[in-house]
Amino acid sequence: MPGSTDSSTKTMGALTIGGLVAVTAYTVALGSNGWLWFGWVVLGLITVGMVATSSA
């Protein structure tokens, strides 16, 4: 089902952007937390992987 892959990729992208906003807000309010940034980077890499495999 190509439609479900596309929607899941869009959902993952939205979660990644939302995660970036949340981690940035946390950093501004309470200071940096390396684990949060590490988690966001991992989420971003997973999202990039999903985009790469869905366009192939």
Side-chain angles (χ1 to χ4, degrees), residues 11-27 32-49:
T11 302
M12 194 68 171
L15 286 173
T16 302
I17 298 300
L20 176 61
V21 171
V23 170
T24 303
Y26 181 93
T27 299
S32 184
N33 184 333
W35 283 109
L36 287 177
W37 285 105
F38 175 76
W40 183 82
V41 168
V42 170
L43 181 63
L45 290 173
I46 292 169
T47 302
V48 168

